[in-house]
Amino acid sequence: MKSQSNYRKGFIFKSYEAPEQSPFEKLFEIFKELITYTSGDFDEAIDWLRQLDEEYNLTTEDYTIEDFIEELKKKGYIKEDIDSDGNGGMVITAKTERAIRQQALEHIFGKIKHSGRGNHRSKTTGFGDEHTGDFRDYQFGDSLDKVSMTESLRNAQINHGIGAFNLTEDDLVVEETHHKAQMSTVLMIDISHSMILYGEDRITPAKRVAMALAELITTRYPKDTLDIIVFGNDAWPIEIKDLPYLKVGPYHTNTVAGLELAMDLLRRKRNTNKQIFMITDGKPSCLRLPDGQYYKDSVGLNPYITNKCYAMAQQARKLHIPITTFMIAQDPYLMKFVQEFTQANKGKAFYTGLKGLGEMIFEDYENNRIKRIKG
């Protein structure tokens, strides 16, 4: 006789239990956040970590901050650096830079579902390399490797029977595919002094977004290109590895210089699909004149400067380069400038606080690709 057991189906709710982490892993998560805020300054980050340790008892007698530093050395996250004057100090390595970018990616794009090789799809079907699950009749010129043999054989059996099997052109079907398109992106980051004014740190979130976007493109979209430029009084390119060390300067905002450099970089790309992302919190306040002098105006919106910006937006439009502006400020007159700038380019604009900046960049990155790529 079978023993009778009571089986219950349903959900079981219990208190959340954090995944088990070693002392090093717990401190390393905090360290990566601190090193981002300190723009790569190891000593300052460790000083902050010591202060947090005193307040929240992060370490124990068995594992101290000194033990953590030694383990950072052993694992290759930091190394000693000697400058030209013979002074030495600890600096982070490329391994740490990559870990910071990965953490930024997880924080900002953590809800992303992985899919395929990470190339972007176009809206049109045709001779592509990503299967859609839809079928159509074979047409002259279709590649034989696109023919669905399973569906074609099924049609042959239905049309001619099993006893007198015959496969004709009318039985052949082809599976539709999407083109996978490449994108060239330039990310512009405002490093003018206003990014740290009024007691609000705006450069760190902007920097974190840039690191996350860089990690996203290089890992999920390896065929794409990403150039990063910063702009203050002038504009210049930086490497992905330089992002953790990015700082604001005593600069005005030369938006025109940033756009000029961005479009110059994109002109050299062979990809048909190109776009510019611009993260800024302030109005354009600077131009460089032909004689090398700087024309600056920090009071209000100067028509001479803004008209130059509108002209650049129109020029980008003629080159089929959409500009997506992420304005961190909420001032009505600045929002009006962005609206007119966006209208001149026929691009996109988001007026956002710092909290949702990363998600909106990603959403627009995906949507813009789908909408812009045409077969």
Side-chain angles (χ1 to χ4, degrees):
M1 182 175 178
K2 295 182 179 179
S3 60
Q4 295 182 353
S5 301
N6 293 326
Y7 294 97
R8 294 181 180 181
K9 296 181 178 180
F11 295 100
I12 299 177
F13 296 93
K14 59 182 181 179
S15 300
Y16 171 76
E17 296 180 2
E20 193 68 28
Q21 286 184 308
S22 67
F24 174 82
E25 292 171 336
K26 293 178 181 178
L27 290 178
F28 190 50
E29 290 298 310
I30 301 172
F31 173 76
K32 286 184 289 186
E33 287 289 335
L34 295 177
I35 206 70
T36 301
Y37 278 100
T38 63
S39 298
D41 189 319
F42 174 80
D43 293 331
E44 185 179 358
I46 289 297
D47 288 341
W48 284 19
L49 186 61
R50 293 186 191 278
Q51 294 178 29
L52 290 173
D53 184 29
E54 292 178 3
E55 186 172 355
Y56 297 104
N57 298 319
L58 302 177
T59 63
T60 64
E61 293 182 358
D62 296 328
Y63 194 87
T64 65
I65 296 294
E66 282 65 31
D67 294 327
F68 173 67
I69 295 174
E70 284 301 316
E71 196 162 355
L72 285 174
K73 294 179 184 177
K74 292 179 181 178
K75 293 180 179 293
Y77 288 110
I78 60 174
K79 65 179 181 179
E80 189 170 3
D81 184 61
I82 307 296
D83 59 24
S84 57
D85 297 329
N87 299 318
M90 302 305 300
V91 296
I92 62 175
T93 64
K95 185 177 181 180
T96 306
E97 295 165 0
R98 176 69 187 274
I100 295 171
R101 295 199 302 271
Q102 289 175 334
Q103 184 181 56
L105 177 63
E106 292 169 2
H107 284 182
I108 293 176
F109 303 136
K111 297 179 181 179
I112 295 175
K113 293 181 179 179
H114 296 283
S115 62
R117 296 183 181 178
N119 290 325
H120 300 267
R121 296 178 297 177
S122 67
K123 294 172 69 176
T124 56
T125 55
F127 301 107
D129 53 2
E130 181 178 10
H131 299 286
T132 66
D134 298 325
F135 298 94
R136 61 172 173 81
D137 292 337
Y138 173 83
Q139 298 174 357
F140 179 78
D142 285 334
S143 176
L144 291 178
D145 62 351
K146 302 301 181 184
V147 173
S148 173
M149 294 307 300
T150 302
E151 293 296 321
S152 298
L153 290 173
R154 177 175 174 271
N155 288 342
Q157 292 176 353
I158 294 173
N159 295 335
H160 310 293
I162 300 177
F165 178 76
N166 189 23
L167 180 66
T168 68
E169 181 178 339
D170 293 334
D171 303 321
L172 300 178
V173 293
V174 173
E175 185 174 2
E176 294 279 25
T177 55
H178 279 305
H179 288 287
K180 288 185 178 179
Q182 294 174 298
M183 176 69 73
S184 291
T185 302
V186 173
L187 175 62
M188 295 172 51
I189 307 172
D190 184 351
I191 58 168
S192 62
H193 188 56
S194 61
M195 293 291 277
I196 56 170
L197 280 181
Y198 316 118
E200 191 171 55
D201 176 16
R202 297 169 177 174
I203 188 62
T204 299
K207 183 167 54 176
R208 184 179 288 115
V209 167
M211 289 190 292
L213 185 62
E215 187 68 10
L216 176 71
I217 292 178
T218 55
T219 56
R220 188 173 177 185
Y221 305 107
K223 295 182 180 179
D224 289 5
T225 67
L226 172 66
D227 291 279
I228 304 171
I229 65 176
V230 294
F231 63 104
N233 291 348
D234 294 291
W236 59 95
I238 64 171
E239 299 291 333
I240 292 177
K241 64 181 180 62
D242 298 326
L243 285 172
Y245 311 101
L246 196 60
K247 297 180 180 180
V248 301
Y251 307 125
H252 287 67
T253 307
N254 192 343
T255 307
V256 170
L259 292 170
E260 286 177 338
L261 179 57
M263 284 190 283
D264 183 54
L265 291 171
L266 289 175
R267 282 191 190 97
R268 306 174 191 176
K269 306 298 182 183
R270 295 183 178 179
N271 293 340
T272 303
N273 308 290
K274 303 172 183 181
Q275 63 183 352
I276 296 173
F277 289 160
M278 179 168 65
I279 304 175
T280 181
D281 76 327
K283 61 184 179 298
S285 59
C286 177
L287 286 175
R288 189 166 188 175
L289 302 175
D291 62 0
Q293 299 286 329
Y294 290 100
Y295 179 83
K296 301 175 182 179
D297 186 355
S298 300
V299 181
L301 285 172
N302 185 300
Y304 179 69
I305 297 176
T306 56
N307 287 338
K308 292 287 187 180
C309 292
Y310 300 147
M312 293 300 299
Q314 292 172 346
Q315 183 178 343
R317 178 188 173 187
K318 292 178 181 178
L319 295 172
H320 305 290
I321 301 175
I323 302 172
T324 301
T325 305
F326 298 88
M327 177 62 76
I328 305 175
Q330 299 288 337
D331 308 67
Y333 76 104
L334 291 178
M335 294 173 67
K336 185 175 184 300
F337 160 74
V338 173
Q339 289 170 355
E340 295 179 358
F341 177 85
T342 304
Q343 184 178 3
N345 176 255
K346 301 301 181 185
K348 296 183 181 180
F350 293 94
Y351 309 94
T352 176
L354 300 178
K355 184 177 180 181
L357 182 59
E359 290 182 356
M360 281 197 292
I361 281 187
F362 174 74
E363 290 171 359
D364 187 58
Y365 186 76
E366 293 279 277
N367 292 336
N368 191 43
R369 290 167 163 278
I370 295 173
K371 291 180 180 180
R372 289 286 305 173
I373 300 170
K374 298 184 183 295

